[in-house]
Amino acid sequence: METVQHEQYEYARRRIKRKKTLYFHFVLFLLGSLFMFVSNHFQVFGYTSNWSVWLITLWTFLFVLHFIKIYITDRFMDKNWEREQIDRLVALQKQKIAEFQTQVDKDAAINQK
């Protein structure tokens, strides 16, 4: 029972750490976007094109991917999902081994005759 509680605690700790990282990414995104927009508006770097919009758009896409990973993908693909997948693959391997063993037994019986 204690190992189950420990696993739940570790899972919760990892989820909180990932969410904390996502929130930090969001704050960094806001500050970085503001800096890029202001830099582009006042032409701090000497470029006359609208480069900040492209960088902010790219960064928004990366942030959305990070958000999807934390709140959607990781929620459904946790330790239980991993265990189910491993158990399913092990069962398939055992089934294939049993089929091969049956085939070997049949071939051995045919060769003995």
Side-chain angles (χ1 to χ4, degrees), residues 15-87:
R15 289 274 303 154
I16 290 171
K17 186 176 180 182
R18 289 178 182 152
K19 286 181 181 181
K20 186 178 175 182
T21 304
L22 179 69
Y23 298 148
F24 177 76
H25 185 183
F26 181 68
V27 170
L28 189 64
F29 166 71
L30 288 178
L31 294 175
S33 297
L34 180 65
F35 172 75
M36 285 188 285
F37 182 76
V38 169
S39 298
N40 189 37
H41 182 69
F42 292 112
Q43 298 177 356
V44 173
F45 297 113
Y47 296 111
T48 57
S49 65
N50 211 3
W51 58 269
S52 66
V53 173
W54 292 104
L55 286 177
I56 291 170
T57 303
L58 177 66
W59 201 351
T60 302
F61 177 72
L62 293 175
F63 178 76
V64 167
L65 288 178
H66 191 186
F67 180 85
I68 289 171
K69 181 183 182 317
I70 299 299
Y71 279 101
I72 297 173
T73 307
D74 283 353
R75 178 172 285 169
F76 296 112
M77 295 183 180
D78 59 354
K79 287 287 186 186
N80 293 332
W81 181 83
E82 287 180 22
R83 284 189 192 126
E84 289 172 5
Q85 295 299 314
I86 290 171
D87 291 342

Side-chain angles (χ1 to χ4, degrees), residues 92-108:
L92 284 174
Q93 287 177 348
K94 286 182 180 179
Q95 180 184 1
K96 286 183 181 181
I97 289 172
E99 289 173 4
F100 287 140
Q101 187 63 40
T102 305
Q103 185 65 32
V104 167
D105 292 342
K106 285 180 183 179
D107 290 345

Side-chain angles (χ1 to χ4, degrees), residues 1-17:
M1 183 68 171
E2 198 168 302
T3 58
V4 173
Q5 289 175 344
H6 181 69
E7 285 180 5
Q8 290 174 344
Y9 171 77
E10 286 298 318
Y11 174 73
R13 189 179 63 76
R14 281 192 310 272
R15 289 274 303 154
I16 290 171
K17 186 176 180 182

